[in-house]
């Protein structure tokens, strides 16, 4: 930290940097940049990323290319949190530029191998390294148990069926009911048959162990292509639906009906220099929270509010038709877990800034949980977080599937579709808190918000969990 009485301006070499401009030429024009302290380097990387993204958005490819080179000198997938984040945002911006030449882009990606086994492996690593999915499963299961009290035939639809641990835990809870376990049927939806085959084997074995009447119905399909009739819901079944980090995929649209202009930032070079140089050293999350960057402004001729407004919903025909079809199944309970972030914005700059906020916290989580060297951490950062960042930043139209929305928008969407909120119980929150305490997950918090729950890293909400029912159930 800067000693008391000494300003950051006089104590840091950042004062000599020509802000909001890039220096052309090969190599780093400032060799001493590599000697910067972690906090100073982080601030400079933020500056470079935002500046580079603005050049990409404005179509200034020469300046953007210089920016990418500058970032590459300081970013590292093996470095501190900000260096790691910068590496993946840098890659995402480069991919966006490359997409301007479809032939070149396709040629460079034509031999890329994507192993399904690796994708599943990295999802399981995320489950193991961070508590978010564990917490979502505990809270979801408790909501299902409470909603299904006294029911003799229960049908659960899992829209992201890849982790047996969730439902094995539910078997144990159902087995302990005074009236005995219900006849349980789980319909698992996943795009990979191998995953569902594994789920069927594991769950069938566990159901036999706990003496629970059980059936598993596999549906090999992406959620966006799912025909709800294939779920084979039967009369007399009490239906529950679990959707973990999947529903946002239905927000995909061609974007033709709501285009926005990308403007250069209104903040001047002098303003940027003054603001950054006057800052005390902070974590990335603190800086982004306390020093918001207005790096975009929507077109003034649009009557509708910005997509970042809590009362604004971007058109989503697939989502609307899906929720209508889901409502027709008369589910007794739907539990939805989603990323607590507004990554569905139309302009590049609003997505860059929102994604920086969100993924800064996720990278911080891993930094606090896992040391920098393990391969497992790098796999999660590259193959999960990195691919999501690339999709948010580099892709448009139907290719852009990571359109995360905050809880306030999910509440509005579901209420407009005819669903009513089911308050998540204190008992579920208590179980989740116990899980954090037992496993020494310091820094993670669970908060109640409008009858729903948000899972936070420090004070930053990262995931929301909400429960819903079809209105006729009173």
């Amino acid at each position: 930290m800067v000693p008391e009485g000494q300003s950051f301006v006089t104590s840091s070499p950042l004062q000599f940097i020509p802000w909001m401009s890039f220096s052309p030429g090969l190599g780093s024009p400032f060799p001493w940049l590599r000697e910067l302290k972690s906090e100073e380097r982080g601030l400079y990387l933020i500056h470079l990323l935002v500046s580079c993204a603005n050049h990409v958005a404005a179509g200034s490819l020469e300046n953007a290319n210089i920016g990418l080179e500058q970032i590459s000198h300081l970013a590292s997938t093996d470095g501190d949190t900000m260096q790691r984040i910068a590496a993946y945002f840098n890659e995402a911006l480069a991919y966006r530029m490359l997409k301007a030449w479809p032939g070149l882009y396709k040629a460079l990606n034509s031999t890329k191998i994507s192993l399904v086994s690796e994708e599943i492996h990295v999802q399981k690593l995320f489950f193991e390294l961070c508590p978010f999915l564990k917490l979502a499963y505990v809270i979801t299961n408790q909501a299902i148990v409470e909603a299904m009290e006294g029911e003799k035939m229960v049908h659960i639809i899992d829209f992201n069926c890849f982790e047996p641990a969730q439902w094995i835990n539910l078997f144990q809870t159902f087995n302990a009911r005074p009236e005995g376990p219900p006849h349980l049927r789980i319909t698992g939806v996943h795009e990979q048959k191998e995953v569902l085959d594994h789920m069927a084997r594991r769950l069938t074995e566990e159901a036999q162990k706990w003496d629970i009447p059980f059936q598993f119905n596999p549906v090999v399909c992406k959620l966006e292509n799912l025909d709800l009739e294939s779920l084979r819901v039967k009369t007399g079944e009490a239906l529950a639906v679990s959707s973990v980090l999947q529903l946002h995929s239905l927000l995909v649209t061609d974007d033709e009906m709501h285009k926005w202009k990308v403007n250069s930032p209104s903040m001047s070079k002098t303003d940027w220099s003054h603001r950054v140089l006057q800052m005390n050293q902070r974590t990335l999350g603190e800086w982004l929270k306390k020093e918001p960057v207005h790096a975009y402004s929507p077109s003034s001729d649009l009557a509708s509010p910005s997509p970042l407004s809590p009362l604004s919903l971007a058109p989503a025909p697939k989502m609307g038709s899906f929720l209508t079809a889901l409502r027709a199944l008369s589910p007794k309970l739907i539990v939805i877990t989603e990323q607590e972030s507004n990554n569905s914005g139309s302009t590049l700059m609003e997505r860059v800034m929102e994604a920086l906020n969100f993924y800064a916290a996720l990278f911080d989580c891993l930094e606090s949980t896992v040391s920098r060297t393990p391969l497992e951490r790098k796999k999660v950062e590259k193959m999960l977080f990195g691919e999501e960042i690339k999709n948010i930043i580099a892709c448009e139209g139907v290719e852009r599937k990571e359109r995360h929305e905050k809880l306030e928008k999910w509440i509005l969407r579901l209420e407009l579709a005819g669903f009513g909120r089911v308050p998540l119980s204190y008992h579920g929150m208590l179980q989740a808190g116990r899980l954090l305490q037992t496993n020494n997950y310091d820094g993670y918090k669970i908060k109640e918000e409008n009858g729903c729950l948000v899972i936070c890293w420090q004070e930053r909400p990262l995931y929301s969990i909400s429960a819903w029912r079809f209105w006729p159930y009173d």
Side-chain angles (χ1 to χ4, degrees), residues 114-126:
S114 179
L115 297 176
V116 173
S117 58
E118 280 292 294
E119 294 174 6
I120 301 304
H121 175 60
V122 79
Q123 290 177 351
K124 289 186 176 292
L125 285 176
F126 179 54

Side-chain angles (χ1 to χ4, degrees), residues 248-434:
H248 66 264
S249 66
L250 300 176
L251 294 172
V252 170
T253 178
D254 60 10
D255 296 326
E256 288 300 314
M257 59 189 75
H258 53 290
K259 288 185 177 179
W260 297 74
K261 292 180 182 179
V262 180
N263 298 325
S264 58
S266 57
M267 190 177 294
S268 69
K269 170 180 174 179
T270 305
D271 290 337
W272 256 102
S273 177
H274 176 75
R275 174 171 290 193
V276 177
L277 293 176
Q278 292 296 330
M279 277 187 274
N280 288 327
Q281 296 173 3
R282 303 171 181 162
T283 66
L284 172 63
E286 289 172 336
W287 189 88
L288 288 169
K289 182 178 180 181
K290 296 178 182 178
E291 303 290 339
V293 182
H294 303 290
Y296 62 90
S297 62
S299 174
S300 59
D301 60 350
L302 287 172
S304 59
S306 163
L308 292 183
S309 165
L311 299 179
S312 171
L313 292 179
K318 276 191 175 181
M319 178 68 74
S321 59
F322 183 85
L323 291 178
T324 298
L326 188 59
R327 191 178 65 175
L329 298 178
S330 299
K332 193 171 185 180
L333 182 73
I334 303 173
V335 187
I336 298 170
T337 301
E338 281 292 335
Q339 290 90 342
E340 183 66 1
S341 183
N342 265 329
N343 287 323
S344 60
S346 299
T347 68
L348 172 63
M349 288 314 303
E350 63 185 337
R351 299 205 304 271
V352 166
M353 297 312 302
E354 185 70 16
L356 270 173
N357 269 287
F358 181 74
Y359 288 98
L362 282 178
F363 275 74
D364 275 340
C365 292
L366 284 178
E367 178 77 13
S368 72
T369 307
V370 190
S371 65
R372 293 180 185 175
T373 51
L375 180 61
E376 289 80 5
R377 174 184 174 182
K378 184 176 283 190
K379 282 185 176 181
V380 170
E381 290 176 340
K382 178 174 178 58
M383 298 177 63
L384 186 60
F385 300 162
E387 288 302 307
E388 289 178 1
I389 291 168
K390 192 184 299 180
N391 188 264
I392 292 167
I393 303 303
C395 298
E396 296 293 348
V398 294
E399 279 189 297
R400 182 156 58 87
K401 300 182 184 299
E402 300 297 337
R403 298 176 181 240
H404 311 147
E405 290 191 339
K406 289 194 174 183
L407 178 60
E408 55 201 0
K409 289 192 177 182
W410 286 114
I411 289 174
L412 186 55
R413 284 191 187 279
L414 286 149
E415 287 182 345
L416 288 173
F419 292 95
R421 254 177 288 175
V422 177
L424 290 164
S425 72
Y426 175 75
H427 188 58
M429 191 170 178
L430 200 63
Q431 284 184 310
R434 193 178 299 124

